Amino acid sequence: DWCETYKDSLRILPLFEAMSHHYFGFAPYCDEEDFYLYRCGRPIWVGEEFMCYTTTFGGYLGGAHGYMNEIYFVFEQNTGRCLTSADMFDQSKTAELSALISDRMLENAEESDCFWEGFEPHMENVRFEPHAITFVYSPYEAACYAQGHVEVTFAVVEILPYLNEKFTIYKEFKAK
């Protein structure tokens, strides 16, 4: 159980309580295989000042295919507060960062990839790891369902100029 594994690394109880309402490792519910639902969560990275955590959920309710989504949260460990993109990124540079994400998405695209025309990347679903920052877009958000999740990854050094200097991750990454 990850709760017991990471409980000691969490700085204060409110953060642990904020995440404990998730069904960790919740197995799919099946009713004669007509439909199923699932949700699970886990920490991605526990840093000095923050924690990146993911919740994955999905199911099948009939139709051509099921659905799945993966959402990332960044919590300050000292307050337990869930941060927003406005907390994490320099708001005066969001258009520039969006263009950078879009360019990288197209650079990494294969011939068979099919992104939505006019898609403008946002910075709401972000995975922070020790040496990389990944912007994640759900199926249908940036491309057709067959494309799956679209992930655009940058080395920390590439994204550092776009981070909010008041953000605890900026300080942690800047020190590296």
Side-chain angles (χ1 to χ4, degrees):
D1 183 21
W2 88 262
C3 295
E4 290 306 312
T5 304
Y6 288 93
K7 191 172 184 177
D8 291 337
S9 71
L10 299 175
R11 297 285 164 91
I12 59 171
L13 189 58
L15 176 59
F16 182 72
E17 290 173 348
M19 296 182 315
S20 65
H21 69 279
H22 292 282
Y23 299 105
F24 303 110
F26 179 67
Y29 167 76
C30 297
D31 181 16
E32 299 175 17
E33 306 208 13
D34 289 338
F35 70 93
Y36 63 88
L37 302 171
Y38 65 89
R39 182 170 72 170
C40 61
R42 66 187 174 92
I44 298 298
W45 181 32
V46 179
E48 291 295 318
E49 303 289 332
F50 70 96
M51 170 185 218
C52 184
Y53 170 80
T54 186
T55 294
T56 303
F57 63 91
Y60 176 75
L61 303 172
H65 53 74
Y67 66 94
M68 185 187 89
N69 204 350
E70 196 165 74
I71 300 175
Y72 294 88
F73 301 95
V74 178
F75 293 97
E76 285 183 329
Q77 290 211 47
N78 62 343
T79 65
R81 186 171 75 92
C82 186
L83 302 175
T84 66
S85 64
D87 296 320
M88 296 183 274
F89 298 101
D90 181 338
Q91 295 303 290
S92 68
K93 297 180 180 178
T94 55
E96 189 179 336
L97 179 54
S98 182
L100 183 69
I101 296 167
S102 188
D103 290 347
R104 176 68 56 91
M105 189 184 301
L106 294 175
E107 279 174 25
N108 295 340
E110 296 178 15
E111 234 177 89
S112 62
D113 290 347
C114 52
F115 296 110
W116 300 136
E117 189 175 322
F119 171 71
E120 293 194 23
H122 59 77
M123 286 64 80
E124 297 299 325
N125 199 16
V126 185
R127 180 174 64 233
F128 285 92
E129 297 173 282
H131 302 288
I133 296 173
T134 302
F135 298 90
V136 182
Y137 303 96
S138 300
Y140 288 126
E141 189 174 9
C144 64
Y145 182 83
Q147 193 78 29
H149 282 88
V150 174
E151 295 188 355
V152 184
T153 302
F154 294 90
V156 170
V157 69
E158 295 176 281
I159 292 297
L160 199 59
Y162 301 97
L163 291 177
N164 182 342
E165 291 183 13
K166 296 176 186 169
F167 181 33
T168 56
I169 289 179
Y170 177 85
K171 296 170 192 162
E172 195 163 326
F173 285 150
K174 186 80 170 164
K176 291 183 178 189

